[in-house]
Amino acid sequence: MAVQVTPGAVTLFAPTRVPLSQLRDILDARRDWVAGHLAGYAARPPARPAPFDGQRIPFLGENLTLRLDPARTRTHRQGDTLHLPAQNAEAALTTWTRRACADPYRELVQDYGQKLGAADHLSAVHVSDTRTRWGSCAADGVIRLHWKLSRAPTEVLHYVALHEAAHLLELNHSPRYWAHVTRLMPGWQTHRTWLKDHGHTL
């Protein structure tokens, strides 16, 4: 016998000869386990809908209008309009965004590196696509920022860029590290809270 929990449903697999009363006893015995899984599914953010024609998306403080064209094979930005191939629009949008935010990310991190007096410690800035981190700073001076931060409010993106740039001086979260962050961005706590509360919407 086996119990399977999926979003909004619990399924019990058993031979037909097993009495219904025994099946109920099995479910009762695993009630907490089942409830925990159902709660976990309920807490997950809803799946982001596929891009659609006319959709407005934020990008580095601007709002772009998507236009999906069945005949188009390459993504092209024209002013505030982003033309996407209708087939695989999601993948095309992701690819374009990762490329388009690379230079702005690099300039932003370099600027904070200079303001912190740590420009000589920075070796490279890359666009990332990790599942668990918005940014990172390695011991060799390589900083990575997630491409989805391009959809965040600009001050939130700036906070993450500063957060990682400050690691060029202190590769930890010591009071001295936070002093570097606070010196350039006294209200950083607000932006970190926004990311914790709304980051899943990006």
Side-chain angles (χ1 to χ4, degrees), residues 118-142:
D120 56 334
H121 299 309
L122 178 64
S123 58
V125 179
H126 297 306
V127 179
S128 70
D129 189 18
T130 61
R131 291 189 176 185
T132 58
R133 306 180 75 177
W134 292 113
S136 65
C137 178
D140 60 0
V142 175

Side-chain angles (χ1 to χ4, degrees), residues 24-45:
R24 287 175 176 154
D25 289 342
I26 292 171
L27 283 178
D28 285 340
R30 307 200 72 180
R31 181 178 299 275
D32 292 341
W33 179 84
V34 169
H37 279 279
L38 288 174
Y41 284 123
R44 292 181 183 179

Side-chain angles (χ1 to χ4, degrees), residues 94-111:
T94 299
T95 299
W96 178 87
T97 303
R98 293 188 64 168
R99 291 176 179 170
C101 66
D103 286 342
Y105 278 11
R106 186 178 304 108
E107 293 171 4
L108 182 59
V109 173
Q110 288 174 343
D111 182 57

Side-chain angles (χ1 to χ4, degrees), residues 148-171:
K148 289 183 179 179
L149 286 169
S150 65
R151 295 175 176 171
T154 53
E155 58 270 21
V156 174
L157 168 61
H158 279 242
Y159 161 67
V160 179
L162 171 58
H163 183 109
E164 302 309 333
H167 280 309
L168 295 169
L169 298 175
E170 297 287 337
L171 206 57

